[in-house]
């Protein structure tokens, strides 16, 4: 793609809150410093991508520390019915069915015009710790070819009052948007997932 073509596309994506013009022109740099406990303790958020065989979309892994016990953070992560109020860019959400530790949820991600919202019904397995709290989901049906991932919560560096959160997702929407654009959009928005969780956990009593 020529520079002129990129400059033509950039204004289109400037309307999308979770993208910047720079994200269209360069690959999102991975924050190597955030891999250390010291950097993570200071609030750094790590974003890594893992190539998936047979897919042009990578798996994205986001890590960050939240200043609250894992059990408290779990109250938000495990409650899909409230995702529209507690998670970033969620238009609507509801718990369709629960059977034991299996939860079927319907969630719609809101995307700015002219992109269409994306809905997914997923089935998730919950494991409530200690020592690890986890939510692992797979796609049942919706506006995706694939949508699976997980949340994993555990104590950070042995501190019971701080949570080390790992969010992993591999999502391929059924859209005509080129793969490289979807990839950059996904990567550039990932840190907001941890940032929003930090904000929401402060509201809990």
């Amino acid at each position: 793609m020529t520079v002129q073509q990129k400059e033509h596309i950039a204004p289109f994506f400037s309307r999308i809150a979770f993208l910047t013009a720079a994200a269209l022109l360069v690959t999102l740099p991975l924050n190597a410093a955030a891999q250390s406990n010291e950097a993570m303790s200071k609030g750094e958020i790590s974003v890594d991508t893992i190539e998936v065989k047979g897919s042009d979309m990578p798996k994205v892994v986001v890590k960050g520390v939240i200043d609250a016990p894992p059990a408290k953070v779990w109250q938000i992560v495990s409650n899909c019915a409230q995702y529209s109020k507690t998670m970033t860019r969620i238009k609507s959400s509801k718990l369709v069915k629960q059977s034991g530790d299996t939860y079927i949820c319907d969630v719609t991600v809101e995307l700015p015009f002219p992109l269409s919202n994306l809905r997914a019904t997923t089935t998730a397995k919950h494991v409530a710790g200690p020592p690890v709290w986890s939510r692992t989901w797979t796609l049942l049906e919706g506006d995706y070819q694939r949508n699976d991932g997980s949340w994993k919560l555990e104590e950070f560096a042995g501190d019971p009052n701080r949570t080390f959160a790992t969010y992993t997702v591999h999502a391929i929407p059924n859209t005509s948007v080129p793969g490289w654009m979807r990839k950059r959009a996904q990567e550039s928005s990932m840190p907001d997932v941890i940032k929003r969780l930090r904000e929401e956990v402060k509201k809990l009593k």
Side-chain angles (χ1 to χ4, degrees):
M1 178 175 288
T2 67
V3 172
Q4 288 79 9
Q5 287 173 316
K6 290 179 180 179
E7 290 174 346
H8 176 72
I9 292 173
F12 169 82
F13 278 91
S14 66
R15 297 193 298 269
I16 303 176
F18 59 89
L19 283 177
T20 64
L24 293 173
L25 300 175
V26 298
T27 302
L28 181 73
L30 301 184
N31 192 345
Q35 302 300 328
S36 70
N37 273 12
E38 181 179 359
M40 297 290 268
S41 181
K42 293 178 180 179
E44 294 285 353
I45 297 173
S46 166
V47 179
D48 290 295
T49 57
I50 301 173
E51 295 301 319
V52 178
K53 186 177 181 180
S55 173
D56 62 349
M57 288 291 289
K59 179 183 295 184
V60 181
V61 181
V62 189
K63 299 176 183 178
V65 174
I66 300 167
D67 290 327
K72 195 169 186 178
V73 180
W74 178 245
Q75 293 178 43
I76 299 172
V77 170
S78 63
N79 190 357
C80 72
Q82 295 297 311
Y83 279 2
S84 62
K85 299 178 181 178
T86 60
M87 295 289 181
T88 184
R89 303 189 322 278
I90 302 300
K91 175 69 174 180
S92 64
S93 60
K94 66 178 180 180
L95 174 62
V96 177
K97 181 180 179 181
Q98 177 189 353
S99 178
D101 57 7
T102 299
Y103 293 72
I104 296 177
C105 300
D106 192 277
V107 176
T108 298
V109 175
E110 183 175 25
L111 299 181
F113 175 84
L115 301 181
S116 299
N117 293 343
L118 299 173
R119 185 190 65 81
T121 300
T122 61
T123 179
K125 176 84 170 183
H126 286 197
V127 176
V132 176
W133 293 253
S134 66
R135 181 175 191 273
T136 305
W137 71 88
T138 57
L139 179 69
L140 291 178
E141 62 90 18
D143 300 322
Y144 296 83
Q145 298 175 34
R146 182 170 184 173
N147 185 336
D148 52 43
S150 66
W151 276 102
K152 181 181 177 182
L153 310 174
E154 53 195 323
E155 292 181 2
F156 176 69
D159 186 342
N161 294 313
R162 304 188 78 190
T163 299
F164 181 60
T166 302
Y167 175 74
T168 303
V169 63
H170 185 214
I172 307 174
N174 290 323
T175 69
S176 59
V177 178
W180 69 271
M181 291 183 183
R182 296 198 307 263
K183 177 180 176 181
R184 298 248 172 90
Q186 187 179 59
E187 291 175 0
S188 62
S189 67
M190 286 299 103
D192 290 343
V193 175
I194 298 294
K195 292 176 183 177
R196 179 65 182 273
L197 200 52
R198 288 171 175 170
E199 294 173 1
E200 292 300 323
V201 77
K202 293 177 183 179
K203 301 176 184 179
L204 297 178
K205 295 181 179 180

